[in-house]
Amino acid sequence: MYKNNLNSFYQKELKTYISRYFMLKFIFVIGGVISGVGKGTFSAALARVLKECGYKVLPIKFDGYLNVDAGTLNPYEHGEVFVLKDGLECDMDLGTYERFLNEDLDKYSSITGGMIFRELIKKERRGDFLGRTVEIFPHASYVFIEFLERAIKEKKPEILLVEIGGTVGDPENEYAIKAIKIIERKYGKDNVVTIYIPYLIYPKSLKELKTKPFKQNILLLWKLGIFPDIIVVRCPIPANERVREKILKYVYGQSDVFILEDLPNKYLVPLEIKSRGIINSVLNKLKIDIRQEPKLTIFKSVKSKIGKFNEKIKILIAGKYTGNKDAYVSIEEALYHAAFHNNVDLEVMYIETTNYDDKNINYKILENIDGILVPGGFGKRGAEGKIKFIKYARENKIPFLGICFGAQLAIVEFARNVCNLKNANSTEIDPNTPHPVVDILPQQKNVNGLGGTMRLGEKPIYIIKKDSLAWKIYKKDVIYERHRHRYEINPDFSDILTKNGLVISGVSENNIPEIIEIKDHPFFFCIQAHPEFKSRLENPSPPYYYFVKRCVEYKRNSKNKY
Ligand code: GLN
């Protein structure tokens, strides 16, 4: 008896020692009712505020789907595929974390159901569970915890912030939510905070916020034994006292409740996390103090500039996943960062290029457009439509930015219409083209399988011409941008393309053209990489910044014409 007490005394001492010198706290963020209401933005903004409070935070996104990574998902269904510096293809929330934290993350920040089950089956085959039945709970929960602990060991955070994708009630994330109870037991309840983010619906016909779906959804969480420490209720309009009362009564005062309505700009969320006391509640529940006052300077500057710019530019994105507003998030963000630093407002307009594969462009839609951007993409559908918009931008001297597939198609357009190479194409679209100006990368020819096998991640691009736009934009001999492609601009055609006026200003380590431009054009810049993945509010991506600058000039000049 006495021995036991002594043991537990030492255990307690050890725990205080560990938490003082090797602090490790957990925050779990779980969504409710519907997804897509800003759980990722909230988690990212919270991570940033905690960072500015002086803590080392590591965000992790868990996605329950059984794809091993997001690379094989369709952006139309699931939103953009984000690419990390180390080449992992992951959920777009990782982009939100990087942008809010102004930090590069790596593969430790992304866990999927596919990774968990691949590991679990591997363990089973190895014989780790001999004689036992392998079950989703607890075994998948344990593997999930192993992934978290691997990240902790590698990245040594003080606070691990885990966002669980989807909502409570999804079968795909139940074992991850159940893992929270195990973590509470293992690391101590004082070191774990759960934040639940439900949504209040606002039916148009009723014109009031309804709490019932939330009430029903939280029951699912309670059923799993999770009584969230904090509830951040999201809703489209500010909630009145009556709604707040209803919610408070329903949760019996066991959780701190905050209500966060839609804000005019997502970069205001960190300011609200501070001013509404959410950060104090999180720190209180984690039993830690603020180390330094969070300044949140950049977000304050966003706030102070809202409604203050007196110019607005309109940029057209001609792509084929335009039906999902999340498909081009990083591009929109990079344009926003660039517009913010150019002191102009931005309007992005989307055109579905599939509609123009067999049809001419209706030039009316291009009136008042100050710039055209053709983003990355895959496959035949929509490609001819994109080529028509590129041709229009080239001939009419409208600022143009071509990203990855957009750059490859700009080469196709130039080869066909300037170099007179009729039927030039990318072999991705037409394997039998007589002029394969874009062709599969040599190292891609013998690749098996399509998951995670592209040329991925940050790679150097060498800027080889000092009198180029590329040099003006980057002012460096070597730049590093993130890549995601299987095809390349075919160097066999470099001579004929350059003779006809194309400038190759950047190349890869294998001398493959990676940046191409056209002279005598206000801005025609194409890049094989995706600079948007590195754009931050604090540091806009250089080509995006320059593109927007030229769009502003274009707008001013075209106004003068009339
Ligand atoms: N489909 C092209 C390729 O594989 C472009 C990819 C992209 O735009 N990310 O090279």
Side-chain angles (χ1 to χ4, degrees):
M1 177 70 193
Y2 170 75
K3 209 176 148 202
N4 266 349
N5 274 346
L6 200 67
N7 264 345
S8 72
F9 171 77
Y10 280 124
Q11 286 252 327
K12 214 171 143 204
E13 278 291 281
L14 188 70
K15 266 192 191 156
T16 358
Y17 175 82
I18 288 176
S19 71
R20 188 163 312 142
Y21 295 99
F22 311 100
M23 184 187 125
L24 179 59
K25 304 278 178 180
F26 293 82
I27 298 174
F28 288 93
V29 179
I30 310 167
V33 185
I34 51 172
S35 60
V37 291
K39 177 163 52 76
T41 302
F42 176 83
S43 305
L46 178 60
R48 172 65 182 248
V49 182
L50 286 165
K51 179 180 167 179
E52 290 210 18
C53 287
Y55 289 102
K56 188 174 173 200
V57 190
L58 178 69
I60 290 189
K61 173 76 194 291
F62 167 74
D63 280 294
Y65 47 71
L66 296 183
N67 304 61
V68 171
D69 60 43
T72 50
L73 291 171
N74 183 345
Y76 190 75
E77 259 178 46
H78 200 84
E80 159 190 286
V81 178
F82 192 76
V83 180
L84 297 178
K85 183 177 174 173
D86 62 10
L88 185 80
E89 297 171 281
C90 56
D91 190 85
M92 59 173 199
D93 280 329
L94 275 283
T96 314
Y97 299 164
E98 285 201 343
R99 286 187 284 269
F100 270 90
L101 280 173
N102 192 16
E103 263 174 40
D104 288 345
L105 298 173
D106 61 22
K107 62 175 190 223
Y108 291 100
S109 286
S110 173
I111 304 176
T112 66
M115 292 177 191
I116 302 286
F117 284 98
R118 185 170 69 174
E119 181 77 9
L120 188 59
I121 303 291
K122 199 173 99 195
K123 281 173 183 287
E124 189 278 333
R125 291 289 80 188
R126 202 165 58 198
D128 290 13
F129 305 103
L130 271 191
R132 274 178 289 157
T133 313
V134 183
E135 291 166 295
I136 292 183
F137 187 78
H139 298 105
S141 305
Y142 284 136
V143 175
F144 174 64
I145 293 168
E146 273 176 36
F147 270 75
L148 299 185
E149 288 176 339
R150 221 175 276 174
I152 292 164
K153 201 168 150 223
E154 195 60 35
K155 313 297 294 183
K156 303 183 180 57
E158 293 176 301
I159 301 176
L160 190 75
L161 193 156
V162 186
E163 180 193 347
I164 296 183
T167 50
V168 184
D170 294 347
E172 289 85 4
N173 62 21
E174 194 173 308
Y175 63 88
I177 297 177
K178 282 182 172 168
I180 299 172
K181 295 307 295 176
I182 305 173
I183 289 179
E184 280 179 0
R185 242 170 290 137
K186 190 167 173 184
Y187 291 88
K189 175 67 193 100
D190 281 356
N191 295 319
V192 182
V193 157
T194 47
I195 303 178
Y196 169 60
I197 309 196
Y199 190 70
L200 299 186
I201 61 160
Y202 183 72
K204 258 194 194 142
S205 53
L206 301 178
K207 292 211 169 37
E208 62 171 305
L209 292 167
K210 302 300 282 180
T211 55
K212 184 69 67 61
F214 148 70
K215 288 176 177 169
Q216 291 175 344
N217 188 260
I218 198 171
L219 290 176
L220 297 172
L221 201 56
W222 290 345
K223 208 176 104 190
L224 296 176
I226 306 284
F227 296 84
D229 301 286
I230 298 170
I231 302 179
V232 179
V233 183
R234 286 276 299 110
C235 49
I237 58 157
N240 58 28
E241 249 337 283
R242 207 174 57 85
V243 173
R244 177 184 294 276
E245 276 293 301
K246 261 187 177 176
I247 296 170
L248 283 175
K249 270 194 197 139
Y250 194 74
V251 301
Y252 322 114
Q254 61 184 335
S255 314
D256 284 359
V257 176
F258 299 92
I259 302 187
L260 201 56
E261 69 280 2
D262 285 354
L263 299 172
N265 184 311
K266 63 159 92 64
Y267 290 111
L268 301 182
V269 179
L271 300 175
E272 298 304 313
I273 286 179
K274 187 180 169 199
S275 66
R276 298 192 193 197
I278 301 177
I279 190 65
N280 291 342
S281 164
V282 173
L283 295 173
N284 274 342
K285 304 258 176 196
L286 285 175
K287 312 255 177 312
I288 50 178
D289 289 325
I290 222 163
R291 282 185 184 151
Q292 64 194 40
E293 196 56 32
K295 291 204 177 76
L296 307 175
T297 317
I298 189 80
F299 307 108
K300 284 181 186 152
S301 133
V302 169
K303 190 169 180 178
S304 70
K305 286 184 176 182
I306 287 177
K308 300 280 161 60
F309 301 140
N310 37 32
E311 271 179 299
K312 181 179 186 172
I313 53 156
K314 195 166 172 184
I315 290 177
L316 176 97
I317 298 184
K320 75 164 174 186
Y321 309 117
T322 52
N324 180 343
K325 72 169 182 47
D326 285 338
Y328 300 111
V329 185
S330 292
I331 289 184
E332 264 204 42
E333 284 286 308
L335 288 172
Y336 170 75
H337 301 158
F340 176 71
H341 284 271
N342 274 292
N343 294 314
V344 289
D345 279 323
L346 167 77
E347 184 183 337
V348 174
M349 180 181 144
Y350 285 100
I351 289 277
E352 176 57 56
T353 53
T354 317
N355 300 337
Y356 295 94
D357 277 345
D358 315 306
K359 210 172 75 189
N360 284 335
I361 307 175
N362 167 5
Y363 295 108
K364 266 232 149 334
I365 55 171
L366 293 168
E367 266 173 20
N368 302 321
I369 291 291
D370 307 310
I372 296 180
L373 187 152
V374 175
F378 294 82
K380 192 170 173 166
R381 183 172 67 81
E384 288 302 325
K386 287 177 188 168
I387 290 172
K388 286 177 190 152
F389 284 95
I390 297 170
K391 181 167 186 269
Y392 184 85
R394 183 178 57 76
E395 290 180 342
N396 294 283
K397 298 204 183 320
I398 299 175
F400 172 76
L401 183 60
I403 302 293
C404 201
F405 199 41
Q408 296 173 352
L409 294 178
I411 294 286
V412 172
E413 191 280 319
F414 193 84
R416 285 184 193 170
N417 301 321
V418 181
C419 309
N420 213 12
L421 300 173
K422 294 285 167 243
N423 300 320
N425 217 329
S426 161
T427 51
E428 178 180 0
I429 300 164
D430 175 8
N432 303 316
T433 167
H435 310 295
V437 288
V438 176
D439 199 5
I440 191 138
L441 284 159
Q443 68 266 35
Q444 285 286 329
K445 284 189 179 146
N446 301 317
V447 157
N448 281 328
L450 296 181
T453 55
M454 277 186 258
R455 180 169 180 254
L456 291 166
E458 199 165 280
K459 314 266 179 216
I461 302 178
Y462 299 88
I463 297 186
I464 51 171
K465 286 210 168 66
K466 289 260 149 74
D467 58 344
S468 63
L469 247 183
W471 180 266
K472 221 180 230 166
I473 291 174
Y474 283 103
K475 297 181 190 71
K476 278 187 191 143
D477 294 313
V478 195
I479 56 154
Y480 293 84
E481 295 287 9
R482 299 185 192 172
H483 291 68
R484 180 176 186 240
H485 65 124
R486 203 165 261 127
Y487 292 80
E488 63 177 6
I489 297 164
N490 188 344
D492 294 350
F493 289 84
S494 295
D495 270 355
I496 179 154
L497 293 167
T498 47
K499 261 185 209 136
N500 281 282
L502 198 85
V503 178
I504 298 172
S505 52
V507 296
S508 72
E509 64 267 47
N510 297 327
N511 241 348
I512 305 294
E514 291 238 331
I515 302 180
I516 53 157
E517 325 171 353
I518 291 178
K519 278 193 193 142
D520 305 323
H521 191 287
F523 187 91
F524 195 97
F525 187 83
C526 300
I527 181 160
Q528 180 61 79
H530 293 268
E532 64 273 14
F533 291 146
K534 281 177 72 173
S535 186
R536 308 277 165 80
L537 193 51
E538 285 90 342
N539 282 311
S541 158
Y544 281 87
Y545 174 80
Y546 225 88
F547 171 54
V548 166
K549 193 175 155 72
R550 288 293 168 89
C551 295
V552 177
E553 287 162 12
Y554 175 83
K555 177 166 185 163
R556 285 179 192 156
N557 290 339
S558 49
K559 248 195 202 160
N560 292 342
K561 273 188 214 150
Y562 302 107

